[in-house]
């Protein structure tokens, strides 16, 4: 499972935008199937990166940066009613349960892979 996660995420590092380190705040840490995962949510509606400190502060340009073992993902906010979630159509992160967020990805065969995550 860990090898699959690393393999699927490794190619994404070259296409993921990097947030300047001066703007990167402390992250929220999770373990997803035994791997350390750090997340940070930013607002960016007007082009100014600002860290989101409360889920109620999300603006229309919000996105999440998910740092994995060997790569990063940047997923835009969804506007699903009743949940805080982010997706790019291939990867999906949701905070329906803030202690156990949902993290899913599509495999090359189009199957949904779900990773069990828990807050640290």
């Amino acid at each position: 499972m860990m090898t699959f996660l690393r393999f699927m995420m490794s190619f994404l590092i070259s296409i993921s935008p990097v947030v300047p380190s001066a703007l990167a705040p402390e992250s929220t840490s999770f373990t997803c199937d035994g791997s350390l995962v750090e997340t940070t949510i930013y607002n960016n509606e007007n082009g100014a990166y600002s860290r989101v400190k409360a889920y109620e502060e999300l603006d229309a340009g919000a996105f999440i940066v998910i740092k994995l073992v060997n790569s990063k993902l940047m997923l835009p906010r969804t506007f699903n009613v009743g949940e805080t979630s982010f997706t790019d159509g291939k990867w999906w992160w949701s905070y329906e349960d803030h202690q156990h967020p949902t993290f899913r990805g599509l495999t090359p065969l189009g199957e949904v892979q779900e990773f069990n995550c828990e807050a640290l």
Side-chain angles (χ1 to χ4, degrees):
M1 176 73 69
M2 299 273 295
T3 303
F4 177 75
L5 179 63
R6 288 184 188 125
F7 174 76
M8 291 295 294
M9 308 288 184
S10 64
F11 75 94
L12 294 173
I13 196 164
S14 65
I15 62 171
S16 295
V18 177
V19 176
S21 60
L23 299 174
E26 291 184 36
S27 301
T28 304
S29 299
F30 301 91
T31 58
C32 295
D33 288 341
S35 294
L36 179 63
V37 175
E38 294 182 356
T39 63
T40 307
I41 302 172
Y42 295 91
N43 279 328
N44 192 34
E45 188 170 38
N46 297 317
Y49 294 108
S50 62
R51 181 172 179 225
V52 174
K53 296 180 182 177
Y55 297 109
E56 298 79 27
E57 297 177 1
L58 290 176
D59 67 24
F63 64 91
I64 190 169
V65 174
I66 303 172
K67 295 180 185 176
L68 304 160
V69 175
N70 293 319
S71 60
K72 293 181 186 180
L73 297 171
M74 182 177 144
L75 307 177
R77 175 187 178 193
T78 66
F79 293 93
N80 298 338
V81 177
E83 69 180 19
T84 304
S85 61
F86 304 85
T87 188
D88 64 358
K90 181 173 182 175
W91 299 102
W92 185 64
W93 183 274
S94 175
Y95 283 108
E96 289 179 53
D97 176 352
H98 297 281
Q99 294 300 309
H100 299 91
T102 302
F103 186 37
R104 295 182 183 138
L106 290 176
T107 68
L109 298 175
E111 298 172 350
V112 176
Q113 174 87 32
E114 186 160 342
F115 303 96
N116 296 313
C117 298
E118 184 174 327
L120 293 178

